[in-house]
Amino acid sequence: MKRFVLGIVIMIVCMSFMQEDNFYVIYLKGNAINTVSNRGVRLGDALKPTDKILLQDANSKLVLIHAKKGRMEITPKSAGKDLTVKDQVTSIQSDYKIVSRPINYEGYNPRTYFHSPETNQRVLLVMGVPLKIIPFYKLDSQNFFYLTWEDKGQQIVRKIPASDRGIYFNSSVFDNANQFVNGQKAKFCYQHYEYGMLKNDVLAEFIPVIAPLAEINRQIYLIKKFSGQKEPRVINALITAHLNDNYGKVGSEYLHSIR
C-alpha cells in the first residue's frame, strides 16, 4: 500500500514538472502547424519542448508563456523546420512604461493617451469597453469626439459614442477593422462650441488596433493561469507588456475595465 501511495505521489510530482516545462500559446498571428501532432496550433495550446512548429507564412507569429522563462515567441526569424520548440523560442524583451492612473484620477487626457511613440503610435481599442476621458471635455449632442481617416481617396468621419462611463468604440465607428492592419492612421478630433463658434480640434493621430473583448480576455486568462506568477503587480505588468507588444498602448484603468 505504501509503495502504491509513493508511486502516485511520484507520478503527480512528475506531471507537475512536465506541466512547468510546457509553453502555452497566448497569442497567434497567422497560421502555424505542430508537425509532431500534425495539427494546427490554437490559442491556449500546451506545446512540449520537443514539439516542432512550422509557421505557415512570413507574417505568422506565436507568443508563448512559460512558468520559468516568462514570455517567449516564435517568429519566422527563429523558426526552423527541424527545430524543436525549445530551440525555436526567443525571449521577449519589453520595457514599457505602464500608463497608470493619475493622482485624483478622473479620466485620461486624449491628447496624451492617443499619442504613443513607444508603441509606434498603435493604441488598443477594445470593442464596447468604455475609455474614461477627463471632464475638461464636455460631451453632448453638440460637443463630441470623432475619428477621421482616409479610405480609397475618401475621407471617413465617424462620431464616437459616449456615456457617463466614457467613450466607446463599436461597429458604428469601425465597420471594417481590417483597414488599419497595415498601419493606416486616424485622427482623434473634438467638435465643440467656444463662445458660440463651432470649432474642430485634432487632438492626436494614431493607429487604431481594434480587438473584440472576448479575444483580449482569453489572452489575459491564459497569462494569469500559466505565467506561474501570483503577485498582482507582476501579472499586471506581464499583461500590459503583452498587449503593448501585440496590440497597442493600454492604460492601467482601461485594462482594469477590460478585465
Side-chain angles (χ1 to χ4, degrees):
M1 184 64 179
K2 288 183 178 180
R3 289 182 181 179
F4 175 77
V5 172
L6 180 61
I8 294 294
V9 171
I10 293 173
M11 184 173 67
I12 291 174
V13 170
C14 289
M15 288 177 64
S16 176
F17 279 121
M18 288 173 64
Q19 283 186 332
E20 285 188 359
D21 283 339
N22 287 338
F23 296 83
Y24 294 89
V25 181
I26 59 173
Y27 178 82
L28 171 61
K29 180 181 179 182
N31 296 299
I33 299 292
N34 185 338
T35 60
V36 173
S37 63
N38 198 30
R39 59 185 290 272
V41 177
R42 295 175 296 186
L43 195 66
D45 277 358
L47 301 181
K48 299 175 183 176
T50 53
D51 283 340
K52 297 179 180 181
I53 301 301
L54 178 63
L55 299 180
Q56 295 290 83
D57 57 72
N59 294 318
S60 296
K61 179 174 77 167
L62 283 182
V63 180
L64 314 170
I65 195 84
H66 187 278
K68 295 177 181 177
K69 301 177 185 293
R71 292 189 307 129
M72 314 287 287
E73 67 181 1
I74 298 176
T75 66
K77 187 176 179 179
S78 66
K81 185 177 180 181
D82 295 319
L83 293 178
T84 61
V85 166
K86 66 179 180 179
D87 294 322
Q88 288 177 310
V89 293
T90 57
S91 296
I92 299 174
Q93 301 297 327
S94 299
D95 186 21
Y96 289 111
K97 183 179 179 182
I98 295 177
V99 186
S100 58
R101 66 182 297 170
I103 298 174
N104 301 322
Y105 172 80
E106 293 183 293
Y108 290 110
N109 184 336
R111 287 187 181 275
T112 54
Y113 192 85
F114 292 96
H115 176 69
S116 184
E118 65 272 19
T119 58
N120 295 319
Q121 303 304 339
R122 295 173 303 116
V123 178
L124 172 62
L125 308 176
V126 180
M127 296 288 275
V129 176
L131 177 66
K132 194 169 181 61
I133 301 295
I134 54 175
F136 171 83
Y137 293 93
K138 183 180 179 181
L139 295 175
D140 54 32
S141 60
Q142 294 183 315
N143 302 271
F144 53 84
F145 296 114
Y146 63 94
L147 292 181
T148 180
W149 65 89
E150 294 286 331
D151 183 29
K152 298 176 182 177
Q154 292 186 330
Q155 185 178 35
I156 309 298
V157 180
R158 298 284 171 80
K159 182 180 177 180
I160 303 173
S163 73
D164 57 354
R165 297 182 62 199
I167 59 175
Y168 294 79
F169 299 92
N170 55 27
S171 58
S172 71
V173 183
F174 301 112
D175 53 6
N176 179 17
N178 291 330
Q179 61 195 304
F180 298 101
V181 296
N182 293 321
Q184 168 74 38
K185 287 187 177 181
K187 293 179 180 178
F188 189 92
C189 307
Y190 180 55
Q191 175 180 298
H192 60 111
Y193 280 85
E194 190 172 303
Y195 304 112
M197 299 284 292
L198 179 64
K199 295 188 67 177
N200 286 273
D201 299 332
V202 177
L203 305 182
E205 189 172 12
F206 71 107
I207 300 171
V209 181
I210 304 105
L213 179 60
E215 176 182 318
I216 299 300
N217 273 338
R218 173 66 172 157
Q219 294 177 35
I220 290 174
Y221 167 79
L222 292 171
I223 291 171
K224 292 170 73 173
K225 182 175 181 179
F226 297 118
S227 66
Q229 301 294 332
K230 303 299 181 184
E231 174 60 44
R233 293 183 66 179
V234 176
I235 295 173
N236 185 62
L238 272 174
I239 293 169
T240 301
H242 170 74
L243 295 179
N244 282 346
D245 275 336
N246 299 294
Y247 292 91
K249 178 180 183 178
V250 58
S252 60
E253 277 299 312
Y254 191 48
L255 180 58
H256 179 72
S257 65
I258 292 170
R259 297 160 67 184

